[in-house]
Amino acid sequence: MLHERKNSSGRDLAFKVQSYLVELEGVRERKLTTTIGSPEHREEELSESIQFDAAFDTNNSRSASGMVVRGQNGEIAASKSTLHSNVSSPYVAEALACLEATNLGISMGLNSVTIMGDSKTIIKKCKLGVRDKSVLGAIMVDIQNNKTRFQRVAFRYIQRAEYVKAHDL
């Protein structure tokens, strides 16, 4: 098959179409709001926080996840990076990074944590807790199962400029 002057298999094109549809779903549901440093956001933020980010290599279907754990005073308590193979889209890469962040919180024995990332779609799906029927479904089920291992967990969208360390990893 020929798409954008590149030879691709039908499977590759199907993955691209699926990730594009997931992207459209997130854009369609987006609402314009401005909440810069609102008190509600600060109350939502729990004692420790885990910031995550993902990088995606389309050509090789690989991704890298970076996580930074910050303590109560904002100091870096831990950091971790993980490589993933056979990743179909950037959304799957972000979901895997979020899953890794929840796993890291569990392995560190954190009771209450705020998990932060720059993917509005993934954060929204984590907050909702409903069964996801997209390609991300299995990963989102694992994240929902991990939520029960914390006493309190909050998911929050942040812009990339707010968490440079996780992005650098």
Side-chain angles (χ1 to χ4, degrees), residues 36-111:
I36 301 171
S38 66
E40 299 134 16
H41 258 40
R42 295 298 157 215
E43 289 174 14
E44 180 183 303
E45 209 167 296
L46 305 174
S47 55
E48 282 99 8
S49 65
I50 302 175
Q51 301 167 337
F52 70 89
D53 195 18
F56 179 64
D57 179 6
T58 308
N59 296 333
N60 298 311
S61 299
R62 293 185 303 188
S63 73
S65 304
M67 285 87 39
V68 174
V69 181
R70 293 192 180 269
Q72 294 176 348
N73 300 332
E75 77 284 353
I76 296 176
S79 65
K80 180 181 178 182
S81 59
T82 307
L83 299 175
H84 306 279
S85 58
N86 297 324
V87 179
S88 60
S89 73
Y91 291 100
V92 172
E94 287 287 344
L96 286 170
C98 185
L99 177 61
E100 287 292 326
T102 60
N103 288 336
L104 180 59
I106 291 167
S107 68
M108 290 181 67
L110 302 179
N111 292 322

Side-chain angles (χ1 to χ4, degrees), residues 9-165:
S9 69
R11 184 178 184 158
D12 290 338
L13 286 177
F15 282 131
K16 287 179 184 179
V17 169
Q18 280 181 327
S19 64
Y20 180 70
L21 290 174
V22 170
E23 180 182 350
L24 284 179
E25 178 185 325
V27 170
R28 196 177 312 128
E29 295 174 358
R30 185 184 311 174
K31 295 179 183 175
L32 295 176
T33 58
T34 55
T35 54
I36 301 171
S38 66
E40 299 134 16
H41 258 40
R42 295 298 157 215
E43 289 174 14
E44 180 183 303
E45 209 167 296
L46 305 174
S47 55
E48 282 99 8
S49 65
I50 302 175
Q51 301 167 337
F52 70 89
D53 195 18
F56 179 64
D57 179 6
T58 308
N59 296 333
N60 298 311
S61 299
R62 293 185 303 188
S63 73
S65 304
M67 285 87 39
V68 174
V69 181
R70 293 192 180 269
Q72 294 176 348
N73 300 332
E75 77 284 353
I76 296 176
S79 65
K80 180 181 178 182
S81 59
T82 307
L83 299 175
H84 306 279
S85 58
N86 297 324
V87 179
S88 60
S89 73
Y91 291 100
V92 172
E94 287 287 344
L96 286 170
C98 185
L99 177 61
E100 287 292 326
T102 60
N103 288 336
L104 180 59
I106 291 167
S107 68
M108 290 181 67
L110 302 179
N111 292 322
S112 62
V113 66
T114 301
I115 298 175
M116 298 183 260
D118 70 339
S119 175
K120 285 184 180 181
T121 303
I122 300 302
I123 295 297
K124 183 177 180 178
K125 288 177 184 286
C126 290
K127 285 181 177 181
L128 289 178
V130 295
R131 179 110 172 111
D132 192 78
K133 296 177 183 173
S134 71
V135 178
L136 307 171
I139 300 168
M140 299 312 295
V141 166
D142 290 342
I143 292 170
Q144 297 304 322
N145 289 339
N146 283 353
K147 283 171 59 173
T148 62
R149 307 272 307 268
F150 298 101
Q151 288 178 359
R152 292 181 61 203
V153 62
F155 292 91
R156 196 182 93 168
Y157 166 77
I158 57 172
Q159 295 180 350
R160 183 171 290 164
E162 294 182 54
Y163 71 105
V164 177
K165 295 287 183 196

